[in-house]
Amino acid sequence: MVVLDASRRNHPVPRLALWSLGAGIVATVGANLAHGLGHGFVGALVSAWPAPALVGSFELLMMLVRKHHQAAEQEADNPTSADAPVLAPPNPSVALAAPTLEQQARDLHQSGHSQRSIARDLTWTVAR
């Protein structure tokens, strides 16, 4: 959890957290191997696989968090045309279509709203 929090906040990971995580992984794999040795080599491997699978899943989660932060930093460094002033449409007589419920939900999600608040807001909007 400390590693995940540090990654989300874009802080360096404390060495104690890394050492504790490594020691826990080694101890778990060792205990699982010892338990499975009674069933032979295959039993030991089958007993040991959950710890590396958990570590792999955790690392995939960390990759997603890192990519999200890299994309957010690049977006902050390179302002898009959305920051430019909005010009009037070329033909003002054309009516603009109202955004659909799906588009409203996507816009709220992209702006950082939680699913619960989106559901609450859109339910209230539809009920009116």
Side-chain angles (χ1 to χ4, degrees):
M1 289 297 148
V2 173
V3 175
L4 177 61
D5 184 58
S7 184
R8 289 180 67 191
R9 296 175 191 267
N10 212 11
H11 293 299
V13 179
R15 291 203 183 274
L16 178 60
L18 292 176
W19 280 99
S20 297
L21 180 62
I25 293 167
V26 169
T28 302
V29 170
N32 288 353
L33 281 172
H35 177 74
L37 278 176
H39 299 283
F41 179 72
V42 174
L45 289 178
V46 169
S47 292
W49 81 266
L54 178 63
V55 172
S57 299
F58 186 75
E59 186 55 36
L60 289 172
L61 174 64
M62 297 304 297
M63 286 173 41
L64 289 174
V65 170
R66 289 181 194 120
K67 282 185 183 180
H68 174 73
H69 281 292
Q70 287 173 355
E73 286 175 1
Q74 287 176 355
E75 187 175 306
D77 292 342
N78 301 325
T80 60
S81 61
D83 296 335
V86 177
L87 302 175
N91 188 356
S93 64
V94 176
L96 298 175
T100 64
L101 188 63
E102 180 181 348
Q103 185 60 42
Q104 288 177 349
R106 286 185 184 182
D107 291 343
L108 288 171
H109 180 70
Q110 289 176 350
S111 66
H113 287 80
S114 69
Q115 290 181 355
R116 181 175 288 169
S117 71
I118 293 171
R120 182 181 54 239
D121 293 347
L122 293 181
T123 302
W124 184 76
T125 302
V126 172
R128 284 194 293 170

